[in-house]
Every structure is written in C-alpha cells, then in structure tokens.
Amino acid sequence: MDWDKLRIFHAVADAGSLTHAGDALRLSQSAVSRQIRALEESLNTTLFHRHARGLILTEQGELLFDATKSMNKRLDAAAARIRDSEEEVFGELRVTTTTGFGTLWLAPRLPKLYEKYPDLKIDLMLEERVLDLPMREADVAIRMKEPSQADLIRKRLMSVRMRLYASPEYLAKNGTPLTLEDMTGHRLICQSPNSIQVSAGAVLVQHLLTQDIPHVFTVNNYFGVLQGILNKIGIGVLPDYVIEDFPELVRVLPDLESGEVPVFLAYPEELRQSKRIAAFRDFVQDEIFAHRRRIREAGDPD
C-alpha cells in the first residue's frame, strides 16, 4: 500500500472529516478525497460511510485505522529517540497530569527545569482524563493512581492526603470550627461529587456532605478550590502539598483527612532511553525530595 495514501487515510479517520483532514495536511478537500478514493480502489473495499454529519469508518476502515494508529505510534517513538541527543536535552516533551497537581505543584517549579535545560519545550496538558501513553497522546504522565497498562515504566513519587484549609482572615471573621459538627456554620468549598477526582478525595467530600452543611461551593478542580479559599469564601478541601507554596493557609480540623493518594510518574517503555524523559524524571524526583525535606524541617511528619 502507498504510504502517502495511508498517511492521508489516517488523518481523515482521525478527524472524521475530509475538510478537517485537509486543513491538518495542508491539502485541498478534493485532493484528500481523490487519495481516499484511490486507496479504496486499490484495496477493492469501502473505508468510509459518508453522511451529512461527516465520515464513519466501515468495518474494513476500522481494521486499517487500527493498523495506521500502530504505525504512527511506532514512528512517533522512533522520531522521539532520534531527536534525543547524546549530549543535550532539547525538543518537545508532552507532559500530562491533573489540573490541580499541574497548576498548584508542577507549573510553579518548571522555571528550575528551564534554567537547567533552556532548549527543552514542555507541552503541559492538564486534564482529569487519563491520556493513553502507549498510543503517544503524551510522553510522560504524573497520575494520582498507579497506571494499569503493562507496557509503562512507572515510579511512585509520593503520597498526598486531602485536608481542610482556610485563610486566617476568614477564620478571624467567622471563627474556627473545633468539631465536625461546627462545619454547619461555615461554607464548604470542595470538588463536586460528580466531578472526576481521586477516590480518596471523593470519599472525604462525601463524608463531609453527610454533615448537613447548608452552604457548599463546588468547583471541578483544586485550583478553583484554592481560589475560593484565598478569596475567603469558606473552608476548602485541598491536597496537602499546597501548603509549601501557600504557608499562610491554616489547617482546620487537623484530625480529619483523606486516605493516602499515591502519585506516580509513568512513561512508555519505548522511551526508556529518552534524554528528555530522564531530565524531566530526575527534576521531578529532586523536587519531591526537596519538598519532603522542607516538610520534615517544618515539623510535619506527613
């Protein structure tokens, strides 16, 4: 089969549209259509069902798309290895993690990574959806649970617990709750029970909501929860790592916290020799060690 036609087929199947695929490939819609027709004729089969809303793969098209996805994955991995210099760290590194961890812990520390590797380009993808590393949706991930895929290298970085925090100004004005029952006099800021979040955090939120707290402000990520706390809206549920960068926050009800949430770094086996991956992995591990040391020095055993 013609490699160029397969490349165009993959773009069309991925986009579900001749127009969008043409835009991505910088080809006209008619040129894309001709290539798809020629590929269908060479295979003597129909690859797409055409309808008003776009294109849907036929069964034969699905088989070919599975093959081109696998090819793309291997080509991306080969390109990544080729781009890695023996002496230098440079090029693009696609990193995925949750919005909370990415905004509250990782992003503030990236200047240190750029100081050491100025030619490294980080593409940071913050979302709760777990991106598929073997299919090269990202190069490396920091996840709040152990990855289940077998063809990933994974390393446990640290453990996190969800706790209650408030601003000193809020507590000075509204008082500090001493028991869980006292929370009924405060507004709780937390992630919505319906939003995607780590299970330990969800369990803590559900427990708090059983206390018949009349005022609740929900946000779909921890960055929003932090903004609510800093703006004195109420008492919020946050991961404990935020305290290092926001030491002014006051922990409320110190006996109440979630179970441990493990934090893992993972990347595909194919990128084991990647200089960019190694640089990022070592940077994150060094920052974790420094974070733990500062916490110990502050007198918090957790």
Side-chain angles (χ1 to χ4, degrees), residues 171-190:
L171 295 176
K173 180 179 179 180
N174 299 279
T176 301
L178 301 178
T179 66
L180 191 53
E181 290 73 23
D182 292 342
M183 283 295 294
T184 58
H186 296 269
R187 179 175 286 104
L188 175 67
I189 311 171
C190 61

Side-chain angles (χ1 to χ4, degrees), residues 84-89 271 273-280:
D84 280 326
S85 164
E86 291 182 2
E87 302 295 335
E88 302 174 49
V89 174
L271 296 180
Q273 303 303 322
S274 168
K275 295 279 187 297
R276 291 168 297 124
I277 294 282
F280 181 78

Side-chain angles (χ1 to χ4, degrees), residues 97-265:
T97 189
T98 61
T99 303
F101 192 84
T103 55
L104 300 178
W105 193 89
L106 181 59
R109 289 163 173 78
L110 286 179
K112 296 180 183 177
L113 181 64
Y114 282 128
E115 284 177 14
K116 191 171 184 180
Y117 304 110
D119 295 324
L120 186 62
K121 177 187 174 186
I122 300 293
D123 179 7
L124 186 56
M125 295 174 280
L126 303 179
E127 51 183 300
E128 309 312 311
R129 180 174 71 92
V130 175
L131 298 187
D132 192 329
L133 296 184
M135 291 306 299
R136 300 308 308 281
E137 288 188 313
D139 299 316
V140 60
I142 298 177
R143 295 178 176 170
M144 303 301 116
K145 64 178 181 179
E146 184 170 4
S148 58
Q149 290 154 308
D151 49 353
L152 293 179
I153 296 172
R154 79 271 332 262
K155 179 174 181 58
R156 182 164 177 161
L157 297 173
M158 63 179 183
S159 295
V160 172
R161 291 183 186 271
M162 308 303 163
R163 295 169 172 173
L164 287 169
Y165 296 97
S167 70
E169 296 85 358
Y170 173 86
L171 295 176
K173 180 179 179 180
N174 299 279
T176 301
L178 301 178
T179 66
L180 191 53
E181 290 73 23
D182 292 342
M183 283 295 294
T184 58
H186 296 269
R187 179 175 286 104
L188 175 67
I189 311 171
C190 61
Q191 284 201 206
S192 167
N194 299 322
S195 65
I196 299 174
Q197 58 180 309
V198 295
S199 57
V203 169
L204 177 59
V205 167
Q206 289 165 357
H207 175 59
L208 289 166
L209 293 178
T210 63
Q211 302 303 307
D212 193 28
I213 299 173
H215 305 293
V216 178
F217 171 47
T218 58
V219 194
N220 67 344
N221 61 62
Y222 289 119
F223 181 75
V225 173
L226 174 64
Q227 293 306 307
I229 294 171
L230 293 176
N231 286 284
K232 302 176 280 292
I233 292 175
I235 298 172
V237 178
L238 282 177
D240 54 11
Y241 56 73
V242 301
I243 288 303
E244 184 178 348
D245 293 325
F246 298 90
E248 70 276 15
L249 295 184
V250 178
R251 186 175 177 190
V252 176
L253 299 179
D255 292 333
L256 183 66
E257 63 183 10
S258 76
E260 280 192 352
V261 178
V263 180
F264 282 86
L265 183 141

Side-chain angles (χ1 to χ4, degrees), residues 278-289:
F280 181 78
R281 179 198 62 214
D282 293 346
F283 155 74
V284 171
Q285 289 182 162
D286 288 346
E287 287 299 309
I288 293 289
F289 292 149

